[in-house]
């Protein structure tokens, strides 16, 4: 709702910050940015969104930005009944944006907990990033362009991150922004790998030094440790830290899935990828990972099914196209591969990939003439920035040509340079013919030897109250309801009730959940329903309307009253009154 379409970046940034803040709450499942933003600017019913994301609650809102002032609206909607159970509006100055983000995130978290069940909430969810609002705006513009994932926008993102750091060199998020830019450019082959990863490592380490609570930065270090350094112990340490800071961080679960797949621990790999899908159900990257795991498991139909979902979400995902073609090769559908890579291809498929896939296909068909033709073309690619991908395909061609010794000599010669793509190759079904060869096994054992001693962290939940405290506060709580009738206050919240009991809101939420098996709203509204049932039968109140009696009982919304009354009694208020008269 901004008056200027160019402020779209600001609305996206605010939304993402709230997602990140809520995602830090352990016990609250929050859909990630990719899947949430899928519905941006689309007229989709709330029930459809809830079904597609597999969530029970939707946060909907708007931002109006004008000069130095912002108006933010937010509302919470229960998906099942399309029931708006909370809304709020903030009018603030732009320089207070981080305080506003914290206010919004804490209020949303409180209202969700009151209506759905216990989880702990920290006293602060959003910290001030920088004293320079202009640096923050430039950082948001950088993110806006980075998310478009094409070379032109990636360069724009770098420019914005750099300008932000010129204003505030200590802004952790902008340092991480540059790190992700360099990592992406190296991964796509647009910049030389070695020097680019060094730049990425420099900026991500600075970001973490400035803010150790950045899950993205821990994940960035995990990616560098895994794909570039092949240090799997450090990889798992960084992934654990990312999930400690943000238990809803889907990329970390996806990375764990890759890690377990490398170890041939497929049950754990699939378990983690399903968690990632639950958190980010409309992410092409997560479905690629699922397809890749099934490919390594040699379940080609399941792999193609997941890869097709990936390609439906992102038709130009290069790795999904490659792995789907590899499934066809393993299913002996060679002509499908040849036909596809001789057709008009998406711009993301580079010549190294085209020549490599056609080279392998013709090698499997024992078409020596065409094999040699594509090998010659691949050799020219080895002199370009796509050298690593060309070598990847060349190794496969050598294996399928029966030139095993030559292939292993080549692999032994390059293994110390830690080529990124080789990590995906070691478990590849296209290498089944050599997996038990002693020399090949010696090479792969050397690469993965450090992974077997590594363990994933699991957090242990602690009771927030001792048995004695639980009994004491349960009595106080019942007293507040039955003697003080605190529920008659229509503005009663979990926090305000906790203040009456002189207890932390986290402890009160835990107490209501564990001792009474209810959430806050169910607990309070039970007393309101019982009060309505009592006063509605009193002849003195015959002149008061149904909704008037509801307000007298502590309700402040007709919808909330009707919803909870039916939940408690199985009848509408009117049906109840007719039935009891």
């Amino acid at each position: 709702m901004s008056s200027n379409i160019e402020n779209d970046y600001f609305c996206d940034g605010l939304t993402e910050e709230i997602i990140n803040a809520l995602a830090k709450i352990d016990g609250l499942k929050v859909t990630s940015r990719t899947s949430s933003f899928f519905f941006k600017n689309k007229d989709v019913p709330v029930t459809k969104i809830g079904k597609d994301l597999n969530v029970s609650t939707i946060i909907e809102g708007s931002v109006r930005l004008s000069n130095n002032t912002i108006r933010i609206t937010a509302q919470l909607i229960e998906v099942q009944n399309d029931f708006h159970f909370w809304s709020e509006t903030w009018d603030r100055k732009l320089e207070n944006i981080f305080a506003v983000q914290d206010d919004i995130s804490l209020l949303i978290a409180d209202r969700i907990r009151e209506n759905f069940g216990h989880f702990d909430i920290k006293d602060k969810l959003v910290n001030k990033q920088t004293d320079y609002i202009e640096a923050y705006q430039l950082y948001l513009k950088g993110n806006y362009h980075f998310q478009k994932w094409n070379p032109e926008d990636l360069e724009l993102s770098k420019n914005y991150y750099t300008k932000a750091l010129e204003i505030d060199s200590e802004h952790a998020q902008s340092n991480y922004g540059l790190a992700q830019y360099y990592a992406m450019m190296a991964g796509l082959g647009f910049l030389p790998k070695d020097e680019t990863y060094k730049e990425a490592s420099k900026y991500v380490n600075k970001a973490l030094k400035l803010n150790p609570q950045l899950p993205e930065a821990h994940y960035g270090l995990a990616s560098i440790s895994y794909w570039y350094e092949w240090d799997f112990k450090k990889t798992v340490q960084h992934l654990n830290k990312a999930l400690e800071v943000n238990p809803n961080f889907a990329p970390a679960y996806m990375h764990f899935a890759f890690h377990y797949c490398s170890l041939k621990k497929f049950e754990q790999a699939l378990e983690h990828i399903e968690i990632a899908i639950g958190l980010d159900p409309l992410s092409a990257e997560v479905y690629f990972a699922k397809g890749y795991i099934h490919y390594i498991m040699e379940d080609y139909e399941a792999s193609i099914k997941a890869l097709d979902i990936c390609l439906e979400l992102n038709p130009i995902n290069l790795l999904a196209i490659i792995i789907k073609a590899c499934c066809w090769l393993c299913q002996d559908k060679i002509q499908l591969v040849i036909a596809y890579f001789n057709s008009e291809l998406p711009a993301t498929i580079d010549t190294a990939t085209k020549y490599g896939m056609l080279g392998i296909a013709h090698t499997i068909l024992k078409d020596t003439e065409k094999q040699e033709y594509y090998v010659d073309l691949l050799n020219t690619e080895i002199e370009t920035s796509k050298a690593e991908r060309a070598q990847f395909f060349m190794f496969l061609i050598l294996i399928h040509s029966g030139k095993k010794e030559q292939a292993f000599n080549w692999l032994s010669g390059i293994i110390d340079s830690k080529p990124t793509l080789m990590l995906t190759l070691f478990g590849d079904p296209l290498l089944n013919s050599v997996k038990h060869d002693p020399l090949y096994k010696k090479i792969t054992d050397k690469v993965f030897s450090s992974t077997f001693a590594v363990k994933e962290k699991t957090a242990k939940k602690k009771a927030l109250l001792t048995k004695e405290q639980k009994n004491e506060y349960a009595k106080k709580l019942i007293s507040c309801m039955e003697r003080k009738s605190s529920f008659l206050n229509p503005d009663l919240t979990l926090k305000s009730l906790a203040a009456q009991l002189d207890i932390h809101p986290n402890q009160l939420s835990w107490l209501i959940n564990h001792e009474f098996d209810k959430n806050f709203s169910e607990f309070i509204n039970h007393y309101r329903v019982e009060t309505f049932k009592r006063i509605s039968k009193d002849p003195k109140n015959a002149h008061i309307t149904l909704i008037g009696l509801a307000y007298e009982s502590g309700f402040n919304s007709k919808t909330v009253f009707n919803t909870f009354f039916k939940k408690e009694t199985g009848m509408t208020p009117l049906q109840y009154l007719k039935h009891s008269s």
Side-chain angles (χ1 to χ4, degrees):
M1 293 176 66
S2 168
S3 57
N4 186 342
I5 194 65
E6 290 182 6
N7 290 329
D8 202 27
Y9 77 91
F10 187 85
C11 306
D12 284 4
L14 180 69
T15 305
E16 188 165 7
E17 294 292 350
I18 293 171
I19 290 172
N20 291 340
L22 295 173
K24 293 174 186 174
I25 300 172
D26 194 10
L28 179 62
K29 176 194 163 189
V30 182
T31 301
S32 69
R33 180 195 195 282
T34 308
S35 295
S36 299
F37 275 56
F38 181 83
F39 297 99
K40 182 182 172 184
N41 297 327
K42 293 178 182 175
D43 186 16
V44 182
V46 164
T47 49
K48 174 79 165 63
I49 297 173
K51 183 180 178 182
D52 288 352
L53 297 182
N54 191 26
V55 295
S56 60
T57 314
I58 299 288
I59 303 168
E60 184 179 78
S62 64
V63 179
R64 189 184 296 276
L65 179 62
S66 179
N67 298 322
N68 194 38
T69 61
I70 47 174
R71 166 167 282 195
I72 301 166
T73 65
Q75 58 183 349
L76 282 167
I77 308 166
E78 184 197 340
V79 170
Q80 187 175 0
N81 301 306
D82 195 4
F83 166 39
H84 296 56
F85 61 89
W86 171 79
S87 65
E88 192 79 43
T89 300
W90 293 263
D91 289 301
R92 300 287 178 85
K93 293 294 183 184
L94 191 57
E95 60 262 27
N96 298 324
I97 185 60
F98 302 114
V100 177
Q101 289 170 2
D102 194 43
D103 285 349
I104 295 172
S105 303
L106 285 169
L107 273 170
I108 289 170
D110 277 335
R111 296 303 169 264
I112 293 173
R113 179 168 67 178
E114 287 176 0
N115 286 274
F116 293 95
H118 173 70
F119 45 81
D120 289 350
I121 303 174
K122 293 179 180 177
D123 295 332
K124 196 171 185 62
L125 291 176
V126 177
N127 293 310
K128 192 174 186 179
Q129 291 184 19
T130 175
D131 291 324
Y132 303 92
I133 196 64
E134 188 182 350
Y136 178 65
Q137 288 179 289
L138 288 165
Y139 158 73
L140 292 182
K141 288 180 180 178
N143 271 5
Y144 182 77
H145 288 283
F146 181 85
Q147 295 294 341
K148 296 187 179 181
W149 293 348
N150 62 67
E152 295 78 14
D153 278 290
L154 287 173
E155 285 303 320
L156 280 172
S157 76
K158 178 194 176 186
N159 292 339
Y160 284 121
Y161 293 139
T162 303
K163 287 177 182 176
L165 289 175
E166 286 170 1
I167 296 170
D168 182 3
S169 62
E170 304 288 283
H171 186 223
Q173 283 79 356
S174 292
N175 277 283
Y176 174 69
L178 272 184
Q180 68 177 352
Y181 159 79
Y182 283 114
M184 176 73 81
M185 294 298 279
L188 293 174
F190 293 127
L191 290 174
K193 188 178 83 170
D194 286 348
E195 59 190 76
T196 306
Y197 268 116
K198 283 177 186 174
E199 285 295 291
S201 185
K202 177 180 80 175
Y203 282 107
V204 78
N205 277 298
K206 184 174 180 182
L208 269 183
K209 186 177 179 182
L210 292 166
N211 183 0
Q213 298 302 306
L214 270 183
E216 298 87 353
H218 288 291
Y219 178 74
L221 280 181
S223 296
I224 290 170
S225 299
Y226 189 84
W227 296 107
Y228 183 61
E229 299 172 350
W230 291 11
D231 187 331
F232 307 112
K233 188 172 182 179
K234 274 172 62 178
T235 298
V236 173
Q237 288 171 349
H238 289 305
L239 291 176
N240 278 327
K241 186 62 182 176
L243 288 173
E244 183 184 317
V245 176
N246 179 351
N248 286 283
F249 197 61
Y253 288 107
M254 183 173 70
H255 208 311
F256 263 125
F258 271 115
H259 182 67
Y260 282 119
C261 186
S262 301
L263 299 177
K264 298 184 174 60
K265 294 183 177 181
F266 298 122
E267 186 177 340
Q268 292 98 320
L270 290 174
E271 177 186 324
H272 281 72
I273 208 63
E274 289 305 325
I275 295 172
I277 288 173
L279 293 168
D280 204 356
L282 298 175
S283 164
E285 286 69 31
V286 174
Y287 276 101
F288 163 72
K290 184 176 183 177
Y292 173 76
I293 293 164
H294 280 294
Y295 170 66
I296 299 298
M297 293 171 66
E298 301 181 39
D299 186 348
Y300 305 120
E301 289 303 322
S303 176
I304 289 172
K305 184 178 178 181
L307 293 169
D308 281 344
I309 296 173
C310 168
L311 291 168
E312 186 179 336
L313 293 165
N314 179 9
I316 58 174
N317 186 300
L318 173 62
L319 293 177
I321 292 168
I322 291 173
I323 298 302
K324 185 175 180 179
C326 289
C327 285
W328 286 339
L329 293 176
C330 293
Q331 291 176 313
D332 203 27
K333 297 176 180 177
I334 316 299
Q335 293 303 328
L336 283 179
V337 177
I338 292 172
Y340 179 82
F341 284 93
N342 276 318
S343 66
E344 189 174 339
L345 297 170
T348 48
I349 298 184
D350 55 285
T351 48
T353 298
K354 177 179 178 177
Y355 300 153
M357 291 305 307
L358 289 170
I360 296 166
H362 287 293
T363 300
I364 293 173
L365 290 175
K366 301 190 185 307
D367 185 338
T368 309
E369 184 180 342
K370 286 189 176 177
Q371 173 197 322
E372 289 177 356
Y373 171 74
Y374 286 112
V375 165
D376 288 342
L377 289 172
L378 272 179
N379 278 323
T380 63
E381 293 293 321
I382 288 174
E383 306 302 318
T384 71
S385 63
K386 301 295 186 296
E388 191 174 302
R389 197 170 298 151
Q391 291 170 334
F392 173 91
F393 289 116
M394 194 72 81
F395 177 72
L396 285 173
I397 290 171
L398 288 171
I399 293 295
H400 284 271
S401 301
K403 299 174 182 177
K404 185 172 68 172
E405 187 176 343
Q406 185 181 341
F408 289 161
N409 285 339
W410 172 80
L411 183 59
S412 298
I414 68 149
I415 205 74
D416 288 335
S417 68
K418 299 181 174 64
T420 303
L421 287 171
M422 283 299 158
L423 287 181
T424 66
L425 187 62
F426 292 130
D428 199 306
L430 289 171
L431 294 177
N432 281 350
S433 63
V434 298
K435 281 181 182 175
H436 298 292
D437 186 283
L439 180 56
Y440 184 74
K441 198 167 185 308
K442 182 180 177 183
I443 293 170
T444 56
D445 285 351
K446 179 183 175 184
V447 171
F448 290 105
S449 60
S450 67
T451 63
F452 293 94
V454 171
K455 288 188 178 179
E456 184 182 354
K457 270 188 184 178
T458 52
K460 291 183 179 179
K461 299 279 186 181
K462 289 184 179 179
L464 295 187
L465 296 169
T466 64
K467 186 177 179 181
E468 292 76 17
Q469 288 174 321
K470 187 173 72 169
N471 291 336
E472 177 192 349
Y473 282 113
K475 288 177 184 176
K476 284 185 176 180
L477 179 59
I478 295 299
S479 176
C480 263
M481 296 299 107
E482 295 181 354
R483 294 185 183 180
K484 298 181 181 178
S485 298
S486 297
F487 61 86
L488 291 177
N489 176 4
D491 296 320
L492 186 70
T493 65
L494 181 72
K495 278 190 173 181
S496 63
L497 182 57
Q500 290 181 41
L501 297 172
D502 195 23
I503 185 176
H504 194 282
N506 286 342
Q507 293 173 313
L508 178 57
S509 173
W510 182 90
L511 175 69
I512 292 172
N513 190 244
H514 285 77
E515 186 69 8
F516 300 95
D517 195 28
K518 294 177 184 289
N519 61 50
F520 172 80
S521 290
E522 290 169 337
F523 181 79
I524 297 302
N525 287 320
H526 165 76
Y527 284 96
R528 290 170 176 165
V529 168
E530 290 303 309
T531 300
F532 173 87
K533 286 159 71 175
R534 177 175 53 80
I535 66 174
S536 64
K537 294 176 184 176
D538 190 336
K540 294 179 188 175
N541 297 322
H543 64 289
I544 304 176
T545 63
L546 204 66
I547 193 62
L549 291 170
Y551 290 149
E552 289 288 326
S553 305
F555 287 101
N556 62 2
S557 159
K558 182 179 179 180
T559 308
V560 172
F561 167 56
N562 287 326
T563 300
F564 274 96
F565 195 91
K566 192 166 186 180
K567 190 174 182 180
E568 283 270 328
T569 66
M571 295 181 277
T572 66
L574 196 57
Q575 287 170 336
Y576 171 80
L577 290 177
K578 287 179 179 178
H579 186 266
S580 59
S581 60

